[in-house]
Amino acid sequence: MELSKEKKKYLTLLAEKYPTKEHVSREIINLKAILNLPKGTEHFMSDIHGEYEAFYHILNNCSGVIREKVQMVFKDTLSTKEQQDLCTLIYYPKEKLKLLKKQDVINDDWYTMTLRNLIKLAGFLSSKYTRSKVRKAMPEEYAYIIDELLHAQPDEDNNQLVYHQKIIETIIGIDSAEDFIIELTSLIKRLAVDRLHIVGDIFDRGERADEIIDMLMKYHTLDIEWGNHDILWMGAAAGSEACIANVVRNNIKYQNMSVLENGYGISLRRLLLFAQETYPHMELSDAVYYSITVILLKLEGQIIKRHPEYNMDDRLLLHKINKEKNIVEINGNEYEIKGELFPTVTKENPYELSIGEEDVVNELKFSFLNSNRLKEHVEFLYSKGAIYVCCNNNLLFHGCIPLDKDGNFQIVEFDGKLYKGKKLLDYADTVARKAYFGKHNQNNLDFMWYLWRGKKSPLCGRNIKTFERTFLDNEELAFEEKDPYYSYYEEEKTAGMILIEFGLFSPLSHIINGHTPIKVGQGETPLKANGKVIVIDGGFCKAYQKTTGIAGYTLIYNSHGMRIKAHQPFESIEKVLNENKDIESSSDSFETEPYRVMVENTDDGKEITENIKDLEMLLMAYREGIII
């Protein structure tokens, strides 16, 4: 065997980890065995929009998978009520144990039965993983004991089963049963979902996006495809004044100021004082909303003027206002404005902030740039997120791939260069990182705003009409045209074109999309293009549930294929604990594979296969004496 200098150097380094033929052989055997295990279960969710309590429950019940597994394992041994009790204990172990203690239900027999049931369920869920992977998922302090209990086997005299029974008795006897139950339920949830994909829009509308991110930061394995609302907060944290104004306006509009003030310590004091002074005849909530909207339109106008390449001059309307007549000119026609709402807009410099507005923006900017918790959360979004992800033959992105009216990739120009398709998304990802981690370059900050609402932004996909929707009573003018992508993504040909653009040629490949709520109540389906496109925005956000008719989707991809679960609205954690009132979810298995999908068929499998090739080369180098 002949080796290049670079290859020999690499194998010499690899030999430090596997110093003998026996070490190499053992690892090759282990890796080849892993390739023949079923792939782990992936869950895909999108458009959570701050709905903390519902999302928290769905993470705890693993989108209904825990209940399915409990029914499967205990259908012949536990009653329906007992199965429900076990599920609720797995979802909320600390809270349920506290409640059961008050009800005087817990005794040694209950502990014994519960521990046995949890061990049996954990053993069932662990069967598709290597023992090593399961061990790594266990809490360190209990790993040895749990590992022993999961692998109990009957022998000639039942010695091992007696041994395991003694372990359980000892756990109860030393008052460790509660801690052990809590750790077992955590392991069960960890084994039920191997990887979580959040396909955009954690922020805005719902009350506590900050607590959702706290929860995701503790999750074992996940990725995030940034949504337009996520990029907006990321831009605000980077210092974009237009993004800051949009964030504040959104949270005022949806009455979620607590996430700003309590969640991130963002002071709104100066904005409130300015609004009172500027609109003294209004209710304070209305005054604040109109104040920040005018500030926003001015800041956006400044960006549009700085960047003619954005092609957004139609969004410049402040200079078309006639304050004497209280009208605005749009497309050569005049329209009446609702009330006298532009006291700070001057005819000479309509897009220039007043002194009071500048003070408001400066205080808000200071608060956003100096919020340690927001900094921590945004850096988490950068570390786990991207504009798009290719994973296990699927393409994940939140918004759209901009197309032209003929269904071809839209060509756009930035910094004197042309971009389309994958190159456009790669460019967007690069600039989004520079905007936060580089020096505060104004062009990069402006681009973060463009990603939020630009006409050809892959995260937006529509022409946002802030002025018309806020200040005019005209449905026709308020209509927001969508990118042609949202017409063409119904066609299998378009889906295939996009997948090929991203290097995905497998018949198992799909586009997994969020952003546009699916109107289930009107007969709309999340499956587009003969199942090649799956849109998973089912309305987690309460504001959308009248439109969608449901309360969110989870797409589940396991070794048997794909199915989508539609969730009904969540009532409360209190009802789960007291009445076992779980979220009702209907399941649609729309794609079943003829053969189980194994680790060998996944991205991890490709990496493992490459590792095996290197190890086989090292083994040959050992045998031929090239490496000692």
Side-chain angles (χ1 to χ4, degrees), residues 293-306:
T293 302
V294 173
I295 289 172
L296 167 64
L297 292 172
K298 288 184 175 185
L299 293 171
E300 290 185 339
Q302 293 171 20
I303 292 176
I304 293 167
K305 285 175 170 289
R306 284 196 294 266

Side-chain angles (χ1 to χ4, degrees), residues 81-145:
K81 172 69 164 56
E82 289 169 334
Q83 291 177 28
Q84 291 172 342
D85 285 337
L86 183 61
C87 286
T88 303
L89 178 67
I90 294 168
Y91 305 159
Y92 304 104
K94 292 179 183 178
E95 296 86 345
K96 189 65 175 178
L97 285 166
K98 185 178 179 180
L99 185 63
L100 292 173
K101 275 186 173 181
K102 282 185 179 178
Q103 296 172 350
D104 201 24
V105 171
I106 295 178
N107 54 37
D108 286 358
D109 289 340
W110 183 91
Y111 277 135
T112 300
M113 178 192 70
T114 301
L115 285 167
R116 283 178 175 168
N117 288 337
L118 292 174
I119 290 162
K120 186 175 182 180
L121 183 60
F124 176 77
L125 288 166
S126 70
S127 61
K128 69 191 299 183
Y129 302 112
T130 64
R131 191 163 176 173
S132 170
K133 182 167 182 173
V134 175
R135 184 77 180 261
K136 288 174 184 174
M138 297 174 187
E140 189 175 339
E141 60 272 28
Y142 292 112
Y144 173 76
I145 300 170

Side-chain angles (χ1 to χ4, degrees), residues 268-530:
L268 301 177
R269 182 183 60 87
R270 194 174 294 274
L271 174 61
L272 295 174
L273 292 173
F274 173 79
Q276 282 179 321
E277 294 169 1
T278 307
Y279 299 100
H281 57 288
M282 283 189 188
E283 292 286 334
L284 181 59
S285 58
D286 292 334
V288 171
Y289 180 64
Y290 287 120
S291 294
I292 195 64
T293 302
V294 173
I295 289 172
L296 167 64
L297 292 172
K298 288 184 175 185
L299 293 171
E300 290 185 339
Q302 293 171 20
I303 292 176
I304 293 167
K305 285 175 170 289
R306 284 196 294 266
H307 296 276
E309 73 274 19
Y310 290 175
N311 293 312
M312 294 179 67
D313 284 358
D314 65 307
R315 297 294 84 222
L316 297 174
L317 295 173
L318 293 183
H319 69 288
K320 296 184 177 183
I321 294 172
N322 185 321
K323 291 172 70 172
E324 288 74 26
K325 294 182 179 180
N326 204 38
I327 58 169
V328 63
E329 181 194 323
I330 301 176
N331 298 327
N333 298 313
E334 295 181 345
Y335 299 93
E336 185 179 352
I337 295 169
K338 297 186 296 184
E340 297 178 4
L341 301 170
F342 297 98
T344 65
V345 175
T346 65
K347 190 173 182 179
E348 298 74 25
N349 295 298
Y351 300 100
E352 184 179 294
L353 296 177
S354 68
I355 293 173
E357 288 170 333
E358 276 190 13
D359 290 342
V360 169
V361 170
N362 288 336
E363 181 178 89
L364 288 171
K365 187 174 179 178
F366 180 85
S367 291
F368 273 87
L369 289 175
N370 289 279
S371 170
N372 289 329
R373 190 163 183 235
L374 179 60
K375 182 175 187 288
E376 181 185 24
H377 285 183
V378 166
E379 290 183 2
F380 169 74
L381 290 177
Y382 274 107
S383 68
K384 295 294 183 181
I387 292 283
Y388 71 93
V389 165
C390 294
C391 182
N392 295 334
N393 293 312
N394 295 310
L395 172 61
L396 287 60
F397 58 84
H398 177 74
C400 68
I401 309 296
L403 303 178
D404 63 22
K405 60 183 177 58
D406 297 317
N408 302 311
F409 292 121
Q410 177 70 52
I411 300 172
V412 292
E413 182 178 345
F414 298 112
D415 300 325
K417 295 181 180 179
L418 301 179
Y419 298 94
K420 65 176 182 176
K422 181 178 182 296
K423 287 185 178 179
L424 172 60
L425 270 67
D426 288 334
Y427 173 80
D429 193 287
T430 299
V431 177
R433 295 180 193 282
K434 286 180 180 178
Y436 186 82
F437 292 104
K439 293 179 180 178
H440 282 216
N441 178 289
Q442 188 61 55
N443 285 339
N444 293 340
L445 294 176
D446 290 350
F447 192 75
M448 293 295 277
W449 169 84
Y450 182 84
L451 286 175
W452 152 247
R453 64 153 297 172
K455 283 185 179 179
K456 295 302 175 183
S457 162
L459 297 184
C460 179
R462 71 182 194 274
N463 186 17
I464 294 177
K465 303 283 188 72
T466 304
F467 186 101
E468 293 89 335
R469 286 174 170 251
T470 307
F471 300 110
L472 305 180
D473 276 324
N474 189 302
E475 290 186 11
E476 185 178 345
L477 287 178
F479 176 74
E480 298 178 337
E481 305 89 353
K482 290 185 178 180
D483 190 275
Y485 170 83
Y486 294 104
S487 298
Y488 284 104
Y489 77 165
E490 300 276 0
E491 299 179 9
E492 196 169 352
K493 177 185 173 183
T494 301
M497 177 185 77
I498 292 171
L499 289 167
I500 290 169
E501 168 77 0
F502 286 82
L504 299 173
F505 304 98
S506 169
L508 299 178
S509 294
H510 306 81
I511 294 169
I512 300 171
N513 220 164
H515 194 48
T516 51
I518 299 300
K519 300 171 183 175
V520 179
Q522 298 177 26
E524 193 176 350
T525 170
L527 304 179
K528 315 288 182 183
N530 199 24

